[in-house]
Amino acid sequence: MIELDNVAYSYGGGELLSELSLQLAPGSFHFLTGPSGTGKTTLLKLCYGALRPTAGQARLFGTDVREMDRDAVALSRRRIGVVHQDCQFLDHLTLAENVALPLTVAGEPISAQDQNLRELLGWVGLSSRANALPPELSGGERQRAALARAVISSPEVVLADEPTGNVDWEMSQRLLRLLIELNRMGVTVLIATHDLQLIRAAKSQVQARVLRIANRRLQSAGVDL
Amino acid sequence: MPQLIEVTETSQGYDAAGLRLRLQAEVPGAVLDDHARWRKPLVAAAARLKMLGWVSGLLIAAAVGAMVTLAANAALSANAQVIAVLRLVGATDAYIARAFVRRFTLRALSGAAVGTVLGVGAVALLPSGGETAGFLTGLSFRGWHWGIPALVPLLAAVVAFAATAVAARRVLGGLS
């Protein structure tokens, strides 16, 4: 569904990533690891069309990113849920409205999705906070809200960039469990993290491939974990 | 008692010098006063004034457009985070632009409506000049002309709509 073929990316001075190939097959579970600044976030951005590769080919659901206009990229986001480390919300909307935002912008009536929304908030444990405004939420609540927002439109892929970066171990376990549950429902998951403990915890519960960025290239890092 | 005789000119005009000479000979003491002579430059000036009015109208429309464009640009950059969030959850440029365009169009519409009400009030207070109204006192609206100011808010809204749409498209097109 998301394919990177011999992709390179440079921000101007020298290549950050080069000769990088990646295929996210439906239902797969990937970890992306590597030290800070090696391009994990850049790689994720290439995966959801926020950046275009400077060389090579990136395909989202079979379409070359270079051939997609801005609207096509926006429409593909409805099939890709993205969770950032510093997840941002619309601060004047309540948590429930923020979680339902992908439906709102897609022009779907929220009333039809009300049941779905309530179940989803229950799933991430935020039912009691539905009417809170985002600035009132704790770090862990924001992360779970971002995850709920990422999955409300039933995406085929969830890309998470350091989803456990701002939360304690117990909360990161909880987030991981939610992501694993999603994967069991058939959603493709890619998590960028430098937290090896989290990867080890996941490996006992799900068959995950671990990819590491080193020397600007992507390597399989399954053996040493 | 002085006698007053009104002479209406035909389109061919008349021989002013000849008439004056004949009057001098036949009715000494009669004075020929040609109104049209001093009225003509004033009528021309009034026509110029009208053109000046139209040019000011155009300049005001251009100023409204520029002002709305600047305000829309400021609002778009101040709301960069909102736009990023909307992009992330799959909003198209048209959706995002619509939110800004709607807001600025409604603001221009209501602002211009308030301005129009105040302006019409000021015009209504102008002296009418009554029956003897000449072109200098007749600056107020008459009859259906009172409907013309109602177009001002509509035109302002159209200008704001176009200016915001262009500004939004340009700013959003420059984002990743």
Side-chain angles (χ1 to χ4, degrees):
Chain A
M1 18 187 50
I2 295 179
E3 292 167 86
L4 304 181
D5 189 12
N6 233 343
V7 157
Y9 190 81
S10 72
Y11 280 104
E15 282 188 345
L16 179 65
L17 300 168
S18 57
E19 292 172 33
L20 189 148
S21 296
L22 169 69
Q23 272 200 327
L24 295 184
S28 60
F29 198 111
H30 289 267
F31 278 106
L32 178 66
T33 185
S36 298
T38 47
K40 294 195 291 291
T41 301
T42 303
L43 179 53
L44 285 191
K45 283 185 175 171
L46 288 168
C47 286
Y48 63 86
L51 295 176
R52 285 163 196 237
T54 43
Q57 210 182 37
R59 278 188 296 275
L60 302 187
F61 306 104
T63 313
D64 190 335
V65 172
R66 255 185 273 264
E67 286 161 15
M68 296 167 82
D69 59 7
R70 288 174 54 76
D71 280 353
V73 171
L75 293 176
S76 76
R77 299 266 166 90
R78 297 180 187 174
R79 302 168 71 184
I80 304 175
V82 182
V83 184
H84 281 305
Q85 178 177 5
D86 56 334
C87 26
Q88 298 191 318
F89 299 94
L90 298 190
D91 287 344
H92 60 285
L93 298 181
T94 65
L95 173 70
E97 287 167 329
N98 265 291
V99 168
L101 200 59
L103 303 177
T104 313
V105 302
E108 290 178 39
I110 301 181
S111 50
Q113 299 283 339
D114 201 34
Q115 176 70 14
N116 196 356
L117 178 63
R118 246 176 297 149
E119 275 175 24
L120 190 59
L121 287 178
W123 180 65
V124 294
L126 288 174
S127 299
S128 58
R129 306 288 279 145
N131 293 318
L133 294 175
E136 302 164 7
L137 301 176
S138 71
E141 286 170 333
R142 287 176 77 88
Q143 287 293 350
R144 282 180 284 151
L147 181 58
R149 184 180 66 187
V151 301
I152 191 155
S153 49
S154 313
E156 293 154 60
V157 188
V158 170
L159 305 174
D161 189 7
E162 302 280 3
T164 60
N166 289 330
V167 297
D168 59 22
W169 175 242
E170 202 175 317
M171 184 56 70
S172 63
Q173 287 289 296
R174 198 164 158 191
L175 279 162
L176 180 64
R177 268 200 303 279
L178 292 173
L179 285 162
I180 290 173
E181 269 181 55
L182 271 177
N183 182 245
R184 293 209 174 114
M185 291 187 263
V187 177
T188 308
V189 177
L190 172 62
I191 305 175
T193 180
H194 59 258
D195 187 352
L196 296 183
Q197 223 180 336
L198 185 78
I199 300 178
R200 283 193 203 102
K203 285 206 121 183
S204 59
Q205 301 170 63
V206 68
Q207 194 168 17
R209 269 194 73 195
V210 182
L211 308 163
R212 167 178 291 160
I213 301 180
N215 297 325
R216 310 200 307 267
R217 285 173 176 76
L218 200 60
Q219 303 165 346
S220 203
V223 198
D224 53 341
L225 275 164
Chain B
M1 277 297 271
Q3 294 266 324
L4 190 69
I5 302 170
E6 187 185 5
V7 181
T8 312
E9 205 181 337
T10 60
S11 57
Q12 284 102 36
Y14 65 100
D15 176 12
L19 182 60
R20 202 163 270 132
L21 282 174
R22 272 186 66 193
L23 278 174
Q24 229 162 34
E26 291 176 25
V27 202
V31 177
L32 173 68
D33 182 23
D34 187 353
H35 286 234
R37 222 178 43 211
W38 61 264
R39 262 188 62 183
K40 253 182 209 150
L42 281 175
V43 169
R48 280 291 151 78
L49 214 60
K50 215 171 179 177
M51 198 184 72
L52 209 63
W54 281 110
V55 171
S56 327
L58 284 177
L59 284 176
I60 290 170
V64 167
M67 206 158 61
V68 170
T69 305
L70 287 175
N73 276 336
L76 283 160
S77 32
N79 285 294
Q81 189 207 326
V82 170
I83 293 171
V85 169
L86 289 172
R87 274 292 284 166
L88 192 68
V89 300
T92 56
D93 284 351
Y95 182 92
I96 301 171
R98 211 153 45 223
F100 284 94
V101 169
R102 187 171 46 220
R103 194 191 320 170
F104 278 97
T105 305
L106 289 178
R107 274 186 195 172
L109 186 67
S110 51
V114 171
T116 302
V117 168
L118 292 177
V120 167
V123 170
L125 290 179
L126 284 175
S128 72
E131 282 300 299
T132 59
F135 65 92
L136 280 178
T137 48
L139 289 173
S140 191
F141 295 110
R142 259 179 247 168
W144 65 270
H145 284 185
W146 283 101
I148 293 175
L151 293 175
V152 170
L154 292 179
L155 288 176
V158 168
V159 169
F161 179 87
T164 322
V166 170
R169 193 170 314 147
R170 207 187 47 238
V171 170
L172 290 172
L175 298 176
S176 66

